Amino acid sequence: QVQLMESGGGLVQPGGSLRLSCAASGLFFSTITMNWYRQGLGKERELVAQITNSGNTNYADSVKGRFTISRDNAKNTVYLQMNGLKPEDTAEYYCNTVRGIRYYWGKGTLVTVSS
């Protein structure tokens, strides 16, 4: 059974930093692409960052230069380092992977950027 569990969210002031973690189980972690999505209040869920099994990364334009996705295959964990946070980064952040035609999601972790 595939399980994804996010952690690391919280309240941070504008300009601050947070690191999100997503622990995965039930899959061959080192062979799969992992994604971070986010969904703000009243907004659609959007892809924030992606890391392939070979370590290639992609980012949404809105977070390029501020966010960094990484993975530790030994720990079955993917990270999202978020620097220079802005109020518009406030959202529920979700870990995601796709296997075949199935999408797997964690329950999310809330990030609030406010002074």
Side-chain angles (χ1 to χ4, degrees), residues 13-42:
Q13 292 187 343
S17 298
L18 281 176
R19 188 176 83 153
L20 306 184
S21 300
C22 171
S25 61
L27 39 71
F28 292 106
F29 183 80
S30 64
T31 68
I32 59 174
T33 293
M34 296 296 298
N35 308 304
W36 282 100
Y37 281 77
R38 68 183 180 188
Q39 187 167 18
L41 192 62

Side-chain angles (χ1 to χ4, degrees), residues 2 6 9 16-17 19 21 23 26 29 39 62-63 89 94 100-101:
V2 175
E6 303 94 338
S17 298
R19 188 176 83 153
S21 300
F29 183 80
Q39 187 167 18
S62 58
V63 307
D89 295 318
Y94 298 92
I101 60 172

Side-chain angles (χ1 to χ4, degrees), residues 90-111:
T90 295
E92 192 83 20
Y93 283 72
Y94 298 92
C95 184
N96 159 272
T97 192
V98 181
R99 192 167 67 177
I101 60 172
R102 290 199 61 180
Y103 283 66
Y104 295 94
W105 300 93
K107 292 185 178 181
T109 185
L110 180 63
V111 172

